[in-house]
Amino acid sequence: MAWTPVVKRSVSGDVFEQIAEQVLGEELAVGSSLPSERQLAEALGVSRPAVREALQRLAAAGLVSVRQGEATTVLDYRRSSGLEVLPRLLLRGESIDPAVARSILEARLHNGPKIAELAARRVRREAARGGGTTPSAEAAAAPIAEPESAVYGELTLLHDSVERLVAESDPLTQQRIALEFWDHVLDLADSIAFRLMYSMLRAAYEPALAALAPIMSAEVGNGGAYRDLAAAIDAGEPERAAECARALLEPATTALIHALDGA
């Protein structure tokens, strides 16, 4: 017998989505007041507890200010919200917001080389703690971390993702493997700030993977560039890792920005 998953709907979630869309779409002006809980409940046909829960979520997201005994005020999300709103800003219905897409691409190009640099520095520190010396460019092909170390395991996963990427021919699957590659680079960089930023950028980027496949195919199909970057990180060479990351990311980023400018 075949079973069909039951889709559970959250009333408060629906209220949250409706108000969030209006705040982010700037249909509700910054500084304006929302109707009272009772008025919202009547207008939306839901209970006041559902409205109250939705308002609490909106406040936690930095979209509104809720104060006991006062009106709920719409905030300027640019100043009060975090990266978690990026996916909502990027996709408006079926359309991509070009300005938001451009800012994500610019952040990607800026952050990628720095993350790669941090990853290589951590590998170099690991080698120094193990009594080794800073490796030269000639040693780039061989891992320098001790086999029992966490860094060694992360480097192994990094190289494995490169080989899977090179063996794959489907552009959409290649993009997904490339995202895994950057996940491993972030693990090596060991930066919670960059990790959280990347998670939100990825959440914004993933819904558009299919649409971006034609432009991204040159990047994710460039196995040699991924190998060079992995080797620079593995060799513990921060400057070379940053250069390799920029060489990998810049062409597709430039092409995407030009495409957006022409949209």
Side-chain angles (χ1 to χ4, degrees):
M1 178 182 291
W3 297 96
T4 302
V6 175
V7 179
K8 297 175 67 176
R9 293 179 60 85
S10 165
V11 174
S12 65
D14 288 347
V15 174
F16 170 86
E17 293 293 340
Q18 189 170 153
I19 297 175
E21 183 66 26
Q22 292 188 42
V23 173
L24 295 173
E26 300 182 6
E27 297 171 48
L28 292 169
V30 174
S32 64
S33 297
L34 293 182
S36 67
E37 279 186 11
R38 179 182 57 78
Q39 291 170 325
L40 282 171
E42 290 175 355
L44 297 170
V46 299
S47 67
R48 289 184 65 176
V51 170
R52 189 174 303 119
E53 183 178 339
L55 292 177
Q56 290 170 348
R57 286 185 59 195
L58 289 161
L63 299 179
V64 302
S65 173
V66 178
R67 289 183 178 151
Q68 189 68 30
E70 298 182 19
T72 298
T73 306
V74 176
L75 298 176
D76 182 351
Y77 67 85
R78 296 173 184 82
R79 297 178 180 274
S80 56
S81 294
L83 288 169
E84 67 273 9
V85 303
L86 262 181
R88 298 174 182 275
L89 292 171
L90 178 64
L91 287 175
R92 297 296 179 83
E94 299 297 319
S95 301
I96 292 177
D97 186 312
V100 177
R102 172 187 278 275
S103 70
I104 291 172
L105 290 167
E106 290 169 344
R108 171 181 179 266
L109 181 58
H110 176 79
N111 290 348
K114 188 63 183 178
I115 292 167
E117 177 188 331
L118 291 173
R121 288 191 188 283
R122 183 175 173 223
V123 172
R124 187 163 68 180
R125 288 197 304 271
E126 179 75 12
R129 279 198 295 267
T133 58
T134 302
S136 64
E138 289 74 17
I144 63 170
E146 293 295 325
E148 66 273 12
S149 72
V151 167
Y152 182 89
E154 290 158 4
L155 285 170
T156 300
L157 292 172
L158 183 70
H159 289 295
D160 176 68
S161 66
V162 173
E163 296 313 309
R164 288 192 296 114
L165 182 64
V166 171
E168 182 58 58
S169 58
D170 175 62
L172 189 57
T173 304
Q174 285 179 323
Q175 284 191 84
R176 297 191 186 283
I177 298 172
L179 290 172
E180 289 180 30
F181 172 89
W182 283 103
D183 260 327
H184 300 317
V185 176
L186 277 154
D187 286 340
L188 285 161
D190 195 25
S191 168
I192 186 60
F194 275 121
R195 164 60 70 185
L196 294 175
M197 290 170 67
Y198 173 79
S199 295
M200 288 301 101
L201 291 173
R202 178 170 177 166
Y205 171 81
E206 282 191 299
L209 283 180
L212 294 173
I215 296 177
M216 292 299 296
S217 61
E219 177 178 303
V220 296
N222 190 357
Y226 282 92
R227 277 200 176 114
D228 288 345
L229 175 52
I233 292 171
D234 202 337
E237 297 182 352
E239 292 77 12
R240 186 161 72 93
E243 290 171 6
C244 288
R246 180 167 291 279
L248 170 65
L249 298 172
E250 195 161 35
T253 302
T254 302
L256 283 165
I257 288 176
H258 284 165
L260 289 169
D261 289 343

